[in-house]
Amino acid sequence: LDPVGAAGSSFPRQQTFYVSVDSGVDRFTGQRLAGPYILRSWVNDVTPPTVKLLTTQVSAGRPTIAVRSLDTQSGVDPLSLTIGYKGVLIGAASYDPFTGIAVFPLPATAPALKTGTMTLRLESSDFEEAKNVDTTGTAIMPNTRFASTHLRVVGGVAVNWLVPETKACVVKSQRLVVLASSTSAVKMVRFAVDGRTVATAKKGVAGLFGATWNGSGAASHGKHSLTATAVDKSGRTGSAQRVVSSCK
């Protein structure tokens, strides 16, 4: 009885269609999900979504993994987002349809990651898949993207940028988000712009640490280097850089 945010018709007669949207409530908290919604319409979407691993390096144990999956027509079905490794499949805990970022916190029942390089399987479907599953052709699931990628697992601190994207134009109040993991608990993440610290995040959720860079609007025009440095309780550090632009 999970709500699916799509409806469709096969070989519809040409006519006027009326759409009704029911926002519902969160099944766990009871919170109403009313608010603005974006409605998409499409015809003959035969291209699967794109899917890409964002956290190419994580710490050993059970870190959070992030991927980006986008679809230009019917949109990504968040219930389809899955990663697989060592004989287990894990669904996404959350998905942002605007950035395409999905996060997968590895549960305690999942196999722990060991240092080295491992193969990770990614899966993503769009909302057209349910209607194309029985079409003729060589592809059993033509609107599902399967991809294999390599994940590096380290014994120390690992940091991966999520927002903003590489070479993105920063805005006046720019949100900065990274995924940080370590074999020891991560104590904080410092964010720096061109070597100058602009924010410090001391609390994270499932490895996600974020802050707002309020000085981006006044930054000089051109490229800037963002650096996120994570510090764990053992005093070890790890960092990641990202180049962005101040576009005025």
Side-chain angles (χ1 to χ4, degrees):
L1 299 178
D2 284 330
V4 177
S9 177
S10 296
F11 305 107
R13 179 174 60 85
Q14 185 176 357
Q15 56 187 302
T16 300
F17 294 90
Y18 298 88
V19 179
S20 175
V21 178
D22 184 359
S23 61
V25 298
D26 188 294
R27 66 164 65 185
F28 298 106
T29 65
Q31 180 182 2
R32 294 180 67 242
L33 301 177
Y37 284 80
I38 295 177
L39 300 182
R40 297 169 176 248
S41 64
W42 65 92
V43 177
N44 296 336
D45 180 2
V46 295
T47 304
T50 61
V51 60
K52 177 184 179 182
L53 180 66
L54 297 180
T55 49
T56 55
Q57 177 174 286
V58 297
S59 66
R62 296 178 177 86
T64 297
I65 295 173
V67 306
R68 187 189 306 279
S69 184
L70 293 168
D71 186 80
T72 58
Q73 295 190 66
S74 57
V76 173
D77 179 0
L79 297 179
S80 72
L81 291 163
T82 308
I83 61 173
Y85 71 100
K86 295 185 178 180
V88 299
L89 296 175
I90 299 172
S94 66
Y95 175 71
D96 180 5
F98 299 100
T99 62
I101 296 175
V103 294
F104 301 79
L106 300 187
T109 54
L113 306 186
K114 298 181 180 180
T115 57
T117 301
M118 58 176 290
T119 300
L120 194 68
R121 188 75 169 170
L122 312 178
E123 177 184 349
S124 176
S125 302
D126 63 24
F127 282 116
E128 188 77 14
E129 184 59 69
K131 296 179 288 300
N132 275 1
V133 69
D134 59 351
T135 56
T136 59
T138 57
I140 299 176
M141 303 176 70
N143 280 62
T144 296
R145 179 79 65 182
F146 296 97
S148 291
T149 186
H150 291 96
L151 177 66
R152 186 185 176 201
V153 184
V154 298
V157 183
V159 182
N160 295 268
W161 275 99
L162 298 184
V163 178
E165 296 184 47
T166 300
K167 299 181 180 180
C169 289
V170 294
V171 296
K172 185 175 182 180
S173 293
Q174 178 64 54
R175 190 63 178 164
L176 309 174
V177 182
V178 298
L179 259 175
S181 58
S182 177
T183 50
S184 178
V186 176
K187 184 171 61 175
M188 64 178 173
V189 174
R190 292 192 298 265
F191 295 94
V193 178
D194 298 329
R196 181 176 63 88
T197 300
V198 296
T200 299
K202 296 185 177 181
K203 292 184 179 180
V205 177
L208 288 164
F209 289 82
T212 300
W213 173 26
N214 289 315
S216 59
S220 59
H221 182 74
K223 294 182 179 180
H224 299 277
S225 177
L226 305 181
T227 304
T229 302
V231 183
D232 69 10
K233 288 189 175 181
S234 300
R236 296 175 300 179
T237 63
S239 62
Q241 291 186 320
R242 174 146 293 183
V243 175
V244 296
S245 297
S246 177
C247 308
K248 296 182 179 180

